[in-house]
Amino acid sequence: MTDLIHQSIAGKKKAGRKSFAVLIDPDKVDEQKIAELSELTTEANVDYLLVGGSLVISNHLDEVVKQVKRQCSIPVILFPGTPSQVSRYADALLYLSLISGRNPELLIGQHVISAPFVKQSGLEIISTGYMVIDGGAPTTVSYISNATPIPFNKNEIAMCTAMAGEMLGMKLIYMDAGSGAERPITEAMIAGVANAIEVPLVVGGGITDPEKAYLNCKAGADVIVVGNAIEKDISLIKEISTAIHSVPVRV
């Protein structure tokens, strides 16, 4: 297995460059939508495409990934909600461990079940410490995970959780307020976590406009993930990408 995607993310962080990832939910796209997303994300210089979701009740994950790969050259990274969300046609997989919760199934249980299949897939596996942050309303990820999110104003808990994930060997830390969050993660929490770790920091959930994406990057996020807002207004892709890539480079 290669390490190209992780090297890309880590390399951009080292160079002080921010990245934009568009999240595609296989349940919410058809061939026409995928074609449109592929064209717009390419034109907007989107860095990565995440494919997955908390549920994924459709059975065409492979077809979605293959169509995206046929129509654009942007790296495709799986963002699995369950062990079954694996497609060998993608470039990499975020191997998520829910370090913010106390549900053993999502810390290690499901990983034990999925490990043989994941290893045989040939995908680049990126171990990711996944932290769910309270977004002000119940979200799919908090319901499915059966775990209490980190309170939005408890920066120290988030910082210590991220540090623990890094010291356990996680290659990325992913802070997520969840799809449809009413309250995005604060810049203060992002800054605290970013200053506490050296691995790349991914931030998503509740980011609905270019200004918030820009401020999150300024606070220390290395990769911004947007999905729900783009599902509602696909024109945001270009605006958010421009905002993220306009953040002054700091090495």
Side-chain angles (χ1 to χ4, degrees), residues 223-240:
V223 182
I224 297 294
V225 179
V226 181
N228 195 55
I230 287 170
E231 291 168 9
K232 297 176 180 178
D233 183 2
I234 200 168
S235 68
L236 283 173
I237 291 175
K238 185 175 182 180
E239 297 174 27
I240 293 177

Side-chain angles (χ1 to χ4, degrees), residues 61 80-87 93 95 105-106 109-115 117-118:
L61 177 61
T82 67
S84 64
Q85 292 179 32
V86 177
S87 171
L93 178 146
Y95 210 40
E105 283 303 301
L106 299 181
Q110 292 189 0
H111 306 72
V112 174
I113 296 170
S114 66
F117 180 56
V118 169

Side-chain angles (χ1 to χ4, degrees), residues 10-107:
K12 288 176 182 177
K13 174 182 174 62
K14 186 175 181 180
R17 294 162 52 201
K18 306 300 183 177
S19 301
F20 181 30
V22 170
L23 175 59
I24 300 173
D25 187 335
D27 289 336
K28 299 178 181 178
V29 293
D30 53 21
E31 289 189 11
Q32 181 178 349
K33 192 71 170 181
I34 292 171
E36 185 180 12
L37 280 168
S38 298
E39 180 179 357
L40 290 175
T41 52
T42 299
E43 290 177 354
N45 295 315
V46 170
D47 299 277
Y48 308 103
L49 297 175
L50 298 190
V51 177
S54 300
L55 290 175
V56 183
I57 57 177
S58 59
N59 59 1
H60 64 292
L61 177 61
D62 278 348
E63 291 305 315
V64 169
V65 173
K66 285 194 288 185
Q67 187 179 346
V68 171
K69 294 291 291 179
R70 283 196 302 267
Q71 299 193 9
C72 73
S73 59
I74 301 172
V76 176
I77 306 171
L78 297 175
F79 178 52
T82 67
S84 64
Q85 292 179 32
V86 177
S87 171
R88 62 186 177 89
Y89 301 104
D91 297 299
L93 178 146
L94 298 184
Y95 210 40
L96 304 172
S97 182
L98 185 65
I99 59 175
S100 63
R102 299 298 179 266
N103 183 341
E105 283 303 301
L106 299 181
L107 276 169

Side-chain angles (χ1 to χ4, degrees), residues 167-248:
M167 289 187 286
L168 282 168
M170 303 296 175
K171 295 179 179 179
L172 301 179
I173 296 296
Y174 191 145
M175 298 171 64
D176 194 0
S179 176
E182 293 181 356
R183 179 176 55 222
I185 301 169
T186 66
E187 281 88 50
M189 180 177 283
I190 293 170
V193 170
N195 289 328
I197 61 175
E198 295 183 7
V199 297
L201 175 60
V202 183
V203 175
I207 301 170
T208 59
D209 58 70
E211 182 182 7
K212 179 57 179 171
Y214 182 88
L215 291 174
N216 281 4
C217 288
K218 288 273 287 183
D222 298 298
V223 182
I224 297 294
V225 179
V226 181
N228 195 55
I230 287 170
E231 291 168 9
K232 297 176 180 178
D233 183 2
I234 200 168
S235 68
L236 283 173
I237 291 175
K238 185 175 182 180
E239 297 174 27
I240 293 177
S241 185
T242 298
I244 289 170
H245 293 135
S246 71
V247 176

Side-chain angles (χ1 to χ4, degrees), residues 94-153:
L94 298 184
Y95 210 40
L96 304 172
S97 182
L98 185 65
I99 59 175
S100 63
R102 299 298 179 266
N103 183 341
E105 283 303 301
L106 299 181
L107 276 169
I108 186 62
Q110 292 189 0
H111 306 72
V112 174
I113 296 170
S114 66
F117 180 56
V118 169
K119 189 165 186 177
Q120 291 171 9
S121 71
L123 292 165
E124 176 183 341
I125 309 303
I126 306 174
S127 58
T128 303
Y130 190 52
M131 298 167 52
V132 178
I133 312 299
D134 181 14
T139 60
T140 304
V141 65
S142 62
Y143 180 83
I144 295 296
S145 67
N146 192 29
T148 302
I150 293 175
F152 79 98
N153 58 349

